Amino acid sequence: MRFLLTIGVVICTAYTTYAQRTIDPYHYSIEKNIRVAKGAVVSAHPLASEVGAMILEQGGNAVDAAIATQLALAVVYPGAGNIGGGGFLVGHLKNGKNIAIDYREKAPAKASRNMYLDSAGNAITQLSLDGHLAAGVPGTVAGLFASMKYARLPFKKLIAPAIELAAKGYVITAAEARDLNEAKEQFIRLNTAPTAFVREEPWKGGDTLFQPELAHTLALIRDKGAAGFYQGETAANIVAEMKRGNGIITLADLKNYQAKERQAVAFPYKKYTIVTMPLPSSGGICLQQLMGMVENYPIAKWGFHSPEAVQLMIEAERRAYADRANFLGDPDFVKVPVKRLTDKKYLASRMQDFVPGKAGSSEITKAGVFPESEETTHLSIIDAEGNAIAVTTTLNGHYGSRTVVGGSGFLLNNEMDDFSVKPGVPNMYGLVGNEANAIAPHKRMLSSMTPTLVLEKNQVLYSLGTPGGSTIITSVFQTLMNTLEFGLTAEEAINKPKFHHQWLPDQVMVENDFPESTIRALEQMGYKITKRGAIGRSEIIKRDPKTKQLEASGDHRGDDSAAGY
């Protein structure tokens, strides 16, 4: 599908209601998979990808495009794109610098360790999932402005397409209509004011979604910067919404929120350097553990989806997730033995009880783990200058807490569910957490989001990532193995069937189209296999180190699309 954009205006036959304009049209390649010469963007929605490509075309760098794409996703991908949630940005700049920006949500000041327990000490997990009390202090807007120090274009230019999409509307697909209809009851039950997502008649593909309140909120951010969200009218609307729905976010929580620039995780894997996110993302440490545990095995020789290779990766996943549960949390609150967990001798010792051809046991590998929901979104960008960005953001659940801020038109997250509501108690996914991830005021909840870059000789080779909650880490791990070891193309690497093991429950989840021969071989080894639907929605861009040509691919599991020029 091909799209056109004019400055600040998106024009496409499938998604907008505007009359076509002919002033300064820009032409882009936008499909599931593209090959382009200069810059590429891949995200969960074609309009957002095209906005990013437009910004690159207009002289912006990868950071500019990442900011604009995130803002567009906040409009056209309300299930996970957001200004009411948070995320992580990992980047490699043309000057060789790696960056990592943490804008994960934080617990409000009034949050407490036992806030989701009843008088008998039993967990009431629904409180951490639905409605106002489930929301952490949003970090996305602060993260966008923290990213601006590496951008080139003025913020007003970057936010303009999102404002126009919210104000003038965009045409939704049948899948988007289905999602809105399925969430209607929850939107009605969990909101104190009318929302743009609910109407009397069912939504259908081809309808136009207008979000005037969101457009106004975005305009306040355009005009007043971060203060247009964390102070003034929008902040007052958030606090008023909290009061109507018994939430606990205050004006002080909003005013005091700050994004944090952290030191990116960078570690060697054979001839490559992997650059990814540090804590409070568990992804960077776990990814380093996973790749360290398999590095010395002849996995490439065994081959893609071979029983031998899959078993090795499963057992590495079991051990990494056990450590995740035992040790990981917000580094500003808990001391995490990062060096020990990623030491090569330690990783070798973790695999000493690995027996080829025989399933391991999570009863022996003791620990616990707490994941996040699978409704997250990722975007990857590489520009013509060699700057590369990987961003993963989330509201946590699909449409977050399903609570829209009255008068401001954006959804709040339900990220408090990513804390351990009660150490040792399984959450809605049957998984448990521990003390390191217990709730505390101002603390960031542990995440699995793993935006990742691959460098070769300090030049960007890949930008990749995925949504998928606790499956994020294993999906990124598999994508890296698929490309670096098994020689798959970028498109194949993200679209081939995936598998996942997360320590508890002690089972291997595989997508429905996973090879039956490998499933039977694993079952004979003693593994319990559970089939399931799609795992994640990965995005990837590969940069050819010789020609500099970009190959960008969006996951076939969704509407994900790549745009470039």
Side-chain angles (χ1 to χ4, degrees):
M1 185 181 296
R2 289 192 175 274
F3 296 76
L4 297 172
L5 285 104
T6 59
I7 296 174
V9 182
V10 181
I11 302 174
C12 78
T13 58
Y15 285 93
T16 116
T17 59
Y18 323 154
Q20 285 198 354
R21 302 183 185 183
T22 57
I23 303 172
D24 298 325
Y26 290 85
H27 297 265
Y28 307 106
S29 296
I30 180 160
E31 300 173 18
K32 281 288 185 186
N33 310 287
I34 62 170
R35 290 180 182 272
V36 293
K38 294 183 179 179
V41 180
V42 58
S43 79
H45 198 286
L47 282 178
S49 295
E50 192 175 11
V51 165
M54 177 189 73
I55 293 299
L56 292 177
E57 177 83 10
Q58 294 180 357
N61 61 23
V63 180
D64 291 296
I67 293 168
T69 303
Q70 288 175 82
L71 287 163
L73 284 168
V75 180
V76 301
Y77 195 59
N82 70 82
I83 57 171
F88 299 132
L89 179 150
V90 170
H92 179 79
L93 306 181
K94 63 181 182 179
N95 62 7
K97 180 179 179 178
N98 296 325
I99 60 173
I101 301 175
D102 168 10
Y103 42 105
R104 181 71 161 155
E105 301 91 331
K106 296 175 70 172
K110 293 182 180 179
S112 62
R113 175 191 176 93
N114 298 326
M115 64 186 288
Y116 300 117
L117 305 185
D118 63 19
S119 58
N122 299 310
I124 312 173
T125 55
Q126 211 61 35
L127 290 177
S128 66
L129 291 169
D130 294 346
H132 301 67
L133 194 61
V137 182
T140 294
V141 173
L144 297 178
F145 281 97
S147 305
M148 280 298 296
K149 65 185 288 187
Y150 300 108
R152 180 180 296 153
L153 301 180
F155 187 81
K156 288 185 177 182
K157 190 178 191 72
L158 304 181
I159 199 172
I163 294 173
E164 192 127 11
L165 282 165
K168 296 190 175 181
Y170 69 99
V171 176
I172 63 174
T173 65
E176 291 165 339
R178 183 186 64 245
D179 286 347
L180 290 169
N181 291 332
E182 289 177 350
K184 180 177 181 179
E185 182 277 329
Q186 292 177 314
F187 282 137
I188 293 172
R189 176 169 56 88
L190 297 171
N191 281 280
T192 64
T195 81
F197 305 122
V198 175
R199 64 181 192 177
E200 186 173 343
E201 66 274 19
W203 292 96
K204 61 184 183 300
D207 288 339
T208 301
L209 176 60
F210 298 97
Q211 300 174 77
E213 288 185 347
L214 178 57
H216 176 65
T217 300
L218 293 171
L220 289 173
I221 297 170
R222 175 197 63 197
D223 297 339
K224 300 183 179 182
F229 182 86
Y230 291 102
Q231 300 177 51
E233 178 184 337
T234 302
N237 285 345
I238 294 172
V239 172
E241 188 63 55
M242 290 291 111
K243 290 180 179 178
R244 290 194 297 269
N246 299 315
I248 58 174
I249 296 174
T250 66
L251 287 174
D253 288 326
L254 294 164
K255 185 177 181 179
N256 293 332
Y257 182 90
Q258 291 185 334
K260 298 192 77 168
E261 190 157 354
R262 301 187 185 270
Q263 184 175 348
V265 172
F267 62 91
Y269 180 79
K270 298 184 178 178
K271 65 177 182 178
Y272 307 103
T273 299
I274 312 301
V275 181
T276 186
M277 193 70 200
L279 290 167
S281 166
S282 63
I285 291 175
C286 288
L287 192 61
Q288 186 171 359
Q289 288 189 305
L290 289 165
M291 299 187 78
M293 282 188 270
V294 305
E295 185 173 6
N296 294 325
Y297 290 85
I299 192 168
K301 180 180 177 181
W302 290 340
F304 173 69
H305 277 174
S306 66
E308 296 86 355
V310 173
Q311 189 210 0
L312 175 69
M313 294 169 71
I314 288 170
E315 292 302 331
E317 291 170 5
R318 185 197 307 276
R319 289 155 177 80
Y321 275 76
D323 282 354
R324 179 191 190 275
N326 232 15
F327 300 108
L328 304 190
D330 184 347
D332 297 335
F333 283 75
V334 295
K335 187 174 182 179
V336 180
V338 175
K339 289 185 178 179
R340 177 195 167 199
L341 291 171
T342 56
D343 180 77
K344 287 187 177 293
K345 290 182 179 179
Y346 172 76
L347 296 178
S349 72
R350 291 292 275 146
M351 295 298 288
Q352 283 182 348
D353 58 352
F354 166 61
V355 180
K358 182 180 179 181
S361 169
S362 292
E363 290 185 2
I364 297 172
T365 308
K366 296 288 186 180
V369 65
F370 194 91
E372 63 200 66
S373 169
E374 297 201 4
E375 296 301 338
T376 305
T377 189
H378 179 84
L379 61 98
S380 285
I381 300 171
I382 299 179
D383 65 23
E385 301 169 39
N387 300 297
I389 297 294
V391 175
T392 311
T393 67
T394 186
L395 286 170
N396 197 24
H398 194 40
Y399 299 117
S401 62
R402 278 84 68 205
T403 298
V404 178
V405 175
S408 292
F410 63 89
L411 284 153
L412 288 168
N413 65 85
N414 60 350
E415 214 64 72
M416 294 296 288
D417 191 57
D418 268 357
F419 282 118
S420 177
V421 173
K422 180 181 180 181
V425 173
N427 76 341
M428 63 184 293
Y429 305 103
L431 303 173
V432 298
N434 73 354
E435 297 291 339
N437 195 38
I439 302 169
H442 309 301
K443 187 178 182 181
R444 285 171 161 88
M445 55 291 292
L446 192 64
S447 173
S448 295
M449 294 185 290
T450 316
T452 299
L453 305 173
V454 178
L455 310 182
E456 185 175 12
K457 297 178 181 178
N458 208 37
Q459 298 294 310
V460 175
L461 186 62
Y462 291 102
S463 174
L464 66 139
T466 185
S470 60
T471 71
I472 290 174
I473 302 167
T474 57
S475 292
V476 171
F477 174 45
Q478 287 169 67
T479 300
L480 290 171
M481 291 294 103
N482 290 348
T483 53
L484 305 183
E485 292 287 1
F486 301 130
L488 272 61
T489 66
E491 179 182 359
E492 292 170 334
I494 63 170
N495 288 319
K496 291 291 186 181
K498 296 190 181 87
F499 60 92
H500 172 73
H501 195 291
Q502 58 189 30
W503 182 71
L504 287 179
D506 193 352
Q507 63 182 16
V508 181
M509 290 186 286
V510 300
E511 290 186 304
N512 289 322
D513 55 347
F514 199 78
E516 288 293 334
S517 60
T518 303
I519 291 175
R520 289 193 297 271
L522 292 170
E523 288 175 334
Q524 289 173 1
M525 296 178 195
Y527 291 97
K528 179 182 178 182
I529 308 297
T530 301
K531 290 187 175 182
R532 56 160 286 174
I535 295 177
R537 286 173 56 172
S538 301
E539 326 289 4
I540 189 169
I541 304 175
K542 178 182 180 181
R543 185 172 188 253
D544 189 301
K546 294 181 179 179
T547 67
K548 310 303 181 187
Q549 188 175 42
L550 302 172
E551 177 189 356
S553 295
D555 201 308
H556 73 119
R557 295 168 181 84
D559 292 331
D560 308 56
S561 298
Y565 70 106

